[in-house]
Amino acid sequence: MTTEESTVPSNFIRKMVEEDNQTGKFGGQVHTRFPPEPNGYLHVGHAKAICLDFGIAAEYGGLCNLRFDDTNPVKEEEEFVESIQEDVRWLGFDWEDRLFYASDYFDQLYQWAVQLIKNGKAYVDSLSADEIREYRGTLTEPGKESPYRNRSIQENLDLFERMRAGEFENGTHVLRAKIDMTSGNLNMRDPVMYRILHAAHHRTGDKWCIYPMYDYAHGQSDSIEGITHSFCTIEYEDHRPLYDWFLDELGVYHPRQIEFAPLNLSYTVLSKRKLLRLVSEKHVNGWDDPRMPTLSGLRRRGYTPESIRDFCERIGVAKNESVVDIALLEHTLREDLNKRAQRVMAVLRPLKVVIDNYPEDQVEEFEVINNPEDPDMGSRKVPFSRVVYIEREDFLEDPPKKFFRLAPGREVRLKSAYYITCVDVVKDEQTGQILEVHCTYDPESRGGGTPDKRKVRGTLHWVSAAHALDAEVRLYDYLFSKPDPENVEEGSDFTANLNPDSLESLTFCKVEPDLAKAAPGSRYQFLRQGYFAVDPDSSDEKLVFNRAVSLRDTWAKIQKTQKK
RNA sequence: UGAGGGAUAGUUUAAUGGCAAAACAACGGACUCUGACUCCGUCGUUCCUGGUUCGAGUCCAGGUCCCUCAGCCA
């Protein structure tokens, strides 16, 4: 089924997995997992991890689990476990019956903690949070051992059991691993394994009032599920010795943690904390605002799962800190939609064109190709009449060099219809604004070509005024006006770089009647403009489109250099 | 004299010790009933210094710069 393009470059993770397969480290098996915390929406950065986790497993004939890392009941919500599943599925991946939760393992984790206490490898500490921090030392100075570090195993067992039973208040005791307070790696300075949290958990309810920390839960969850390769971002590199320590001390099956660099994208932010701020401070209209880099935002914007997967393939996987140019994301969308999106004519900023020599009440229908890249997509009929709308920017009274579009005395082609020549311009006497343009058409050019094969430089899209549908079109630009939103003056933050023009809503657009059947979520190429998706806000009364990405615009570039 | 990690075109990622490559971006051109698409071309002291070698991005030594870690978050 997979027609291997063989152009896919290798990466260090594939090499490590292949090496393990060759040495038989995991019996040739590959079993990965995608482990989101259900405390927010997934974004493209997660897509990179998802594609890696599910992709590597599929590539080597293995499996990938979906596991919610739900060890902190005060931050996690059911709403997020649903949106996460929806997003992973939409991206095109299937965990089949392997949907797990770290909370599924709370009993086992508790028993293992007891085992570590019995082995003298864990103890109950009764220092306050502040004291623990002080005792931890600093990056350059070693920590000090807690005065509670050498409690007897019996006492530890008793206290831990009473922690579980709910005898103590939040923050009064924690269970800690007994490792090395002088380690250069802070994670090894007797890390906290359990804290008391009198809070209801979204799945276990009030069964527990002590909850395991990430470091204690993650590796063991991997172990329980028989994960072979546990991929995570490089921030966890310092945690690997601890990941290994728990597994070794417990003497259980030991997966391999491998770290890779997280995705950064120009002109956007990719951290749950910052995305949450954008939402809560109303800089955007929710998690699925089409300007958001969340998967739900990209989906609403019009991105296809295929284009996002292609993007994730192309950016590669490495350990370097990097910032990927958002232009690459846009490119993969254009490439995908170029092959698949039906072409349609839509006039965003209408300018009325009256064709003086065209019969008053005549209507013709022209056959228009749906997609020149794919003949199988067929054609449709588009009505034409005496008054049409064209794009305001396609007419200039005083055209500069290299302007190929309509201007006084100039002939252009109306796509798939007729050649027209501008003969007059009607302006508002007060404001000077152009109200309408008058043209004549050449009946010989019917369908868009003439017997004499004469060339016209410009071909314009158009919509018959009498048949046009009204639509709202939302144009999006980058959410931030700087490639690095964090590049701000002292005392300021990334919100200072928010692009005030990231959303432009056009409410008087005219689109061709074929769009009456456009279903929410469906994607089109508006000829000469870009790719657009029908927004969920769209209705029969009022069509609403989102611009997913514009077409490359050479003319805009020429204009820019002309201005200089 | 804390620990760990990283450095290859503008960007991202490749390259059993054997001609430094691809994609994106930019720029120039061809084509065009989308100024789209497509096609062609241009754009490099592999962080530095030395060493090993017939041959080093790759191996060795020393250095420089950047990132991460001091939550009872994940």
Side-chain angles (χ1 to χ4, degrees), chain A residues 73 87 94 123 238 250 273 284 308 430 440 465-466 500 508 511-512 531 553:
Chain A
D87 288 346
D94 185 5
Y123 63 98
D238 291 346
L250 256 12
R273 208 199 94 246
V284 296
I308 294 174
Q430 312 278 272
T440 56
F508 302 104
V511 303
E512 68 170 79
Y531 296 97
D553 191 348

PDB file of all heavy atoms in Angstrom, chain A residues 73 87 94 123 238 250 273 284 308 430 440 465-466 500 508 511-512 531 553:
ATOM      1  N   PRO A  73      -4.674  15.731  39.077  1.00  0.00           N
ATOM      2  CA  PRO A  73      -6.117  15.958  38.959  1.00  0.00           C
ATOM      3  C   PRO A  73      -6.517  17.433  38.974  1.00  0.00           C
ATOM      4  O   PRO A  73      -7.583  17.772  38.449  1.00  0.00           O
ATOM      5  CB  PRO A  73      -6.689  15.234  40.187  1.00  0.00           C
ATOM      6  CG  PRO A  73      -5.554  15.177  41.151  1.00  0.00           C
ATOM      7  CD  PRO A  73      -4.327  15.014  40.305  1.00  0.00           C
ATOM      8  N   ASP A  87      -8.427  14.966  17.755  1.00  0.00           N
ATOM      9  CA  ASP A  87      -7.331  15.500  16.962  1.00  0.00           C
ATOM     10  C   ASP A  87      -6.381  14.420  16.450  1.00  0.00           C
ATOM     11  O   ASP A  87      -5.918  14.479  15.313  1.00  0.00           O
ATOM     12  CB  ASP A  87      -6.542  16.523  17.790  1.00  0.00           C
ATOM     13  CG  ASP A  87      -7.330  17.823  17.989  1.00  0.00           C
ATOM     14  OD1 ASP A  87      -8.340  18.016  17.287  1.00  0.00           O
ATOM     15  OD2 ASP A  87      -6.928  18.631  18.853  1.00  0.00           O
ATOM     16  N   ASP A  94      -4.458   5.671  14.505  1.00  0.00           N
ATOM     17  CA  ASP A  94      -5.399   4.778  15.161  1.00  0.00           C
ATOM     18  C   ASP A  94      -4.700   3.968  16.252  1.00  0.00           C
ATOM     19  O   ASP A  94      -3.774   3.227  15.972  1.00  0.00           O
ATOM     20  CB  ASP A  94      -5.987   3.829  14.098  1.00  0.00           C
ATOM     21  CG  ASP A  94      -7.078   2.943  14.675  1.00  0.00           C
ATOM     22  OD1 ASP A  94      -7.449   3.125  15.846  1.00  0.00           O
ATOM     23  OD2 ASP A  94      -7.555   2.058  13.931  1.00  0.00           O
ATOM     24  N   TYR A 123      11.445   7.191  51.027  1.00  0.00           N
ATOM     25  CA  TYR A 123      11.094   7.565  52.401  1.00  0.00           C
ATOM     26  C   TYR A 123      10.088   8.698  52.402  1.00  0.00           C
ATOM     27  O   TYR A 123       9.970   9.448  51.437  1.00  0.00           O
ATOM     28  CB  TYR A 123      12.341   7.992  53.173  1.00  0.00           C
ATOM     29  CG  TYR A 123      13.024   9.224  52.624  1.00  0.00           C
ATOM     30  CD1 TYR A 123      12.803  10.496  53.188  1.00  0.00           C
ATOM     31  CD2 TYR A 123      13.908   9.136  51.541  1.00  0.00           C
ATOM     32  CE1 TYR A 123      13.434  11.622  52.693  1.00  0.00           C
ATOM     33  CE2 TYR A 123      14.543  10.263  51.038  1.00  0.00           C
ATOM     34  CZ  TYR A 123      14.310  11.505  51.613  1.00  0.00           C
ATOM     35  OH  TYR A 123      14.930  12.620  51.110  1.00  0.00           O
ATOM     36  N   ASP A 238      17.622  15.185  31.068  1.00  0.00           N
ATOM     37  CA  ASP A 238      18.119  15.128  32.451  1.00  0.00           C
ATOM     38  C   ASP A 238      17.309  14.175  33.324  1.00  0.00           C
ATOM     39  O   ASP A 238      17.719  13.838  34.424  1.00  0.00           O
ATOM     40  CB  ASP A 238      18.032  16.519  33.105  1.00  0.00           C
ATOM     41  CG  ASP A 238      19.028  17.481  32.491  1.00  0.00           C
ATOM     42  OD1 ASP A 238      19.927  17.013  31.775  1.00  0.00           O
ATOM     43  OD2 ASP A 238      18.895  18.695  32.725  1.00  0.00           O
ATOM     44  N   LEU A 250      13.241  -1.262  40.665  1.00  0.00           N
ATOM     45  CA  LEU A 250      12.037  -2.084  40.738  1.00  0.00           C
ATOM     46  C   LEU A 250      12.276  -3.454  40.103  1.00  0.00           C
ATOM     47  O   LEU A 250      11.536  -4.415  40.347  1.00  0.00           O
ATOM     48  CB  LEU A 250      10.890  -1.371  40.013  1.00  0.00           C
ATOM     49  CG  LEU A 250       9.757  -0.665  40.773  1.00  0.00           C
ATOM     50  CD1 LEU A 250      10.044  -0.491  42.261  1.00  0.00           C
ATOM     51  CD2 LEU A 250       9.414   0.655  40.122  1.00  0.00           C
ATOM     52  N   ARG A 273       1.130  27.055  27.811  1.00  0.00           N
ATOM     53  CA  ARG A 273       0.949  28.205  28.681  1.00  0.00           C
ATOM     54  C   ARG A 273       0.614  29.456  27.860  1.00  0.00           C
ATOM     55  O   ARG A 273      -0.319  30.186  28.153  1.00  0.00           O
ATOM     56  CB  ARG A 273       2.229  28.439  29.495  1.00  0.00           C
ATOM     57  CG  ARG A 273       1.988  29.095  30.844  1.00  0.00           C
ATOM     58  CD  ARG A 273       3.264  29.711  31.398  1.00  0.00           C
ATOM     59  NE  ARG A 273       3.362  31.109  31.037  1.00  0.00           N
ATOM     60  CZ  ARG A 273       4.265  31.630  30.231  1.00  0.00           C
ATOM     61  NH1 ARG A 273       5.178  30.864  29.673  1.00  0.00           N
ATOM     62  NH2 ARG A 273       4.288  32.917  29.956  1.00  0.00           N
ATOM     63  N   VAL A 284      -7.490  35.807  20.770  1.00  0.00           N
ATOM     64  CA  VAL A 284      -8.086  35.001  19.703  1.00  0.00           C
ATOM     65  C   VAL A 284      -9.463  34.548  20.192  1.00  0.00           C
ATOM     66  O   VAL A 284      -9.775  34.683  21.367  1.00  0.00           O
ATOM     67  CB  VAL A 284      -7.226  33.767  19.359  1.00  0.00           C
ATOM     68  CG1 VAL A 284      -5.869  34.173  18.812  1.00  0.00           C
ATOM     69  CG2 VAL A 284      -7.051  32.877  20.596  1.00  0.00           C
ATOM     70  N   ILE A 308      -0.282  18.286   7.080  1.00  0.00           N
ATOM     71  CA  ILE A 308       0.415  18.388   8.362  1.00  0.00           C
ATOM     72  C   ILE A 308       1.345  17.189   8.549  1.00  0.00           C
ATOM     73  O   ILE A 308       2.472  17.326   9.019  1.00  0.00           O
ATOM     74  CB  ILE A 308      -0.594  18.494   9.525  1.00  0.00           C
ATOM     75  CG1 ILE A 308      -1.362  19.827   9.398  1.00  0.00           C
ATOM     76  CG2 ILE A 308       0.121  18.430  10.876  1.00  0.00           C
ATOM     77  CD1 ILE A 308      -2.485  20.007  10.395  1.00  0.00           C
ATOM     78  N   GLN A 430     -17.860  63.257  -5.899  1.00  0.00           N
ATOM     79  CA  GLN A 430     -17.357  63.779  -4.626  1.00  0.00           C
ATOM     80  C   GLN A 430     -16.034  63.152  -4.219  1.00  0.00           C
ATOM     81  O   GLN A 430     -15.035  63.834  -4.024  1.00  0.00           O
ATOM     82  CB  GLN A 430     -18.383  63.504  -3.502  1.00  0.00           C
ATOM     83  CG  GLN A 430     -19.795  63.895  -3.857  1.00  0.00           C
ATOM     84  CD  GLN A 430     -20.044  65.387  -3.657  1.00  0.00           C
ATOM     85  OE1 GLN A 430     -20.396  65.798  -2.580  1.00  0.00           O
ATOM     86  NE2 GLN A 430     -19.854  66.200  -4.684  1.00  0.00           N
ATOM     87  N   THR A 440     -16.596  46.605 -23.447  1.00  0.00           N
ATOM     88  CA  THR A 440     -17.269  45.933 -24.545  1.00  0.00           C
ATOM     89  C   THR A 440     -16.650  44.554 -24.641  1.00  0.00           C
ATOM     90  O   THR A 440     -15.516  44.354 -24.215  1.00  0.00           O
ATOM     91  CB  THR A 440     -17.042  46.658 -25.887  1.00  0.00           C
ATOM     92  OG1 THR A 440     -15.636  46.766 -26.123  1.00  0.00           O
ATOM     93  CG2 THR A 440     -17.665  48.052 -25.858  1.00  0.00           C
ATOM     94  N   ALA A 465     -23.179  39.258 -11.690  1.00  0.00           N
ATOM     95  CA  ALA A 465     -23.840  39.995 -10.602  1.00  0.00           C
ATOM     96  C   ALA A 465     -25.224  39.420 -10.288  1.00  0.00           C
ATOM     97  O   ALA A 465     -25.604  39.300  -9.130  1.00  0.00           O
ATOM     98  CB  ALA A 465     -23.959  41.476 -10.958  1.00  0.00           C
ATOM     99  N   ALA A 466     -25.946  39.056 -11.334  1.00  0.00           N
ATOM    100  CA  ALA A 466     -27.312  38.570 -11.125  1.00  0.00           C
ATOM    101  C   ALA A 466     -27.338  37.195 -10.458  1.00  0.00           C
ATOM    102  O   ALA A 466     -28.343  36.805  -9.869  1.00  0.00           O
ATOM    103  CB  ALA A 466     -28.046  38.503 -12.455  1.00  0.00           C
ATOM    104  N   PRO A 500      -1.745  43.124  14.811  1.00  0.00           N
ATOM    105  CA  PRO A 500      -3.094  43.706  14.871  1.00  0.00           C
ATOM    106  C   PRO A 500      -3.916  43.386  13.619  1.00  0.00           C
ATOM    107  O   PRO A 500      -5.143  43.467  13.642  1.00  0.00           O
ATOM    108  CB  PRO A 500      -2.833  45.199  15.000  1.00  0.00           C
ATOM    109  CG  PRO A 500      -1.452  45.406  14.475  1.00  0.00           C
ATOM    110  CD  PRO A 500      -0.691  44.148  14.787  1.00  0.00           C
ATOM    111  N   PHE A 508     -18.701  41.656   2.139  1.00  0.00           N
ATOM    112  CA  PHE A 508     -19.506  41.854   0.931  1.00  0.00           C
ATOM    113  C   PHE A 508     -18.907  41.144  -0.274  1.00  0.00           C
ATOM    114  O   PHE A 508     -18.815  41.693  -1.361  1.00  0.00           O
ATOM    115  CB  PHE A 508     -19.666  43.348   0.640  1.00  0.00           C
ATOM    116  CG  PHE A 508     -20.305  44.089   1.783  1.00  0.00           C
ATOM    117  CD1 PHE A 508     -19.537  44.896   2.624  1.00  0.00           C
ATOM    118  CD2 PHE A 508     -21.665  43.943   2.042  1.00  0.00           C
ATOM    119  CE1 PHE A 508     -20.126  45.570   3.683  1.00  0.00           C
ATOM    120  CE2 PHE A 508     -22.259  44.613   3.106  1.00  0.00           C
ATOM    121  CZ  PHE A 508     -21.502  45.429   3.935  1.00  0.00           C
ATOM    122  N   VAL A 511     -19.608  35.356  -4.615  1.00  0.00           N
ATOM    123  CA  VAL A 511     -19.058  34.082  -5.074  1.00  0.00           C
ATOM    124  C   VAL A 511     -19.987  33.413  -6.071  1.00  0.00           C
ATOM    125  O   VAL A 511     -21.184  33.691  -6.117  1.00  0.00           O
ATOM    126  CB  VAL A 511     -18.798  33.128  -3.883  1.00  0.00           C
ATOM    127  CG1 VAL A 511     -17.867  33.782  -2.856  1.00  0.00           C
ATOM    128  CG2 VAL A 511     -20.103  32.698  -3.216  1.00  0.00           C
ATOM    129  N   GLU A 512     -19.421  32.510  -6.868  1.00  0.00           N
ATOM    130  CA  GLU A 512     -20.230  31.884  -7.906  1.00  0.00           C
ATOM    131  C   GLU A 512     -21.257  30.925  -7.310  1.00  0.00           C
ATOM    132  O   GLU A 512     -21.039  30.343  -6.249  1.00  0.00           O
ATOM    133  CB  GLU A 512     -19.341  31.173  -8.930  1.00  0.00           C
ATOM    134  CG  GLU A 512     -18.617  29.950  -8.410  1.00  0.00           C
ATOM    135  CD  GLU A 512     -17.963  29.176  -9.550  1.00  0.00           C
ATOM    136  OE1 GLU A 512     -16.876  29.571 -10.031  1.00  0.00           O
ATOM    137  OE2 GLU A 512     -18.563  28.172  -9.956  1.00  0.00           O
ATOM    138  N   TYR A 531      -6.427  29.243  -1.071  1.00  0.00           N
ATOM    139  CA  TYR A 531      -7.264  28.115  -0.696  1.00  0.00           C
ATOM    140  C   TYR A 531      -8.144  28.528   0.470  1.00  0.00           C
ATOM    141  O   TYR A 531      -7.677  29.168   1.404  1.00  0.00           O
ATOM    142  CB  TYR A 531      -6.393  26.911  -0.340  1.00  0.00           C
ATOM    143  CG  TYR A 531      -5.615  26.443  -1.542  1.00  0.00           C
ATOM    144  CD1 TYR A 531      -4.290  26.842  -1.742  1.00  0.00           C
ATOM    145  CD2 TYR A 531      -6.222  25.657  -2.518  1.00  0.00           C
ATOM    146  CE1 TYR A 531      -3.577  26.446  -2.874  1.00  0.00           C
ATOM    147  CE2 TYR A 531      -5.530  25.259  -3.660  1.00  0.00           C
ATOM    148  CZ  TYR A 531      -4.211  25.647  -3.827  1.00  0.00           C
ATOM    149  OH  TYR A 531      -3.538  25.272  -4.958  1.00  0.00           O
ATOM    150  N   ASP A 553       2.094  34.880  -4.826  1.00  0.00           N
ATOM    151  CA  ASP A 553       1.672  36.080  -5.534  1.00  0.00           C
ATOM    152  C   ASP A 553       2.880  36.855  -6.072  1.00  0.00           C
ATOM    153  O   ASP A 553       3.449  37.703  -5.401  1.00  0.00           O
ATOM    154  CB  ASP A 553       0.859  36.953  -4.571  1.00  0.00           C
ATOM    155  CG  ASP A 553       0.158  38.095  -5.299  1.00  0.00           C
ATOM    156  OD1 ASP A 553       0.483  38.346  -6.488  1.00  0.00           O
ATOM    157  OD2 ASP A 553      -0.716  38.736  -4.683  1.00  0.00           O
TER     158      ASP A 553
END
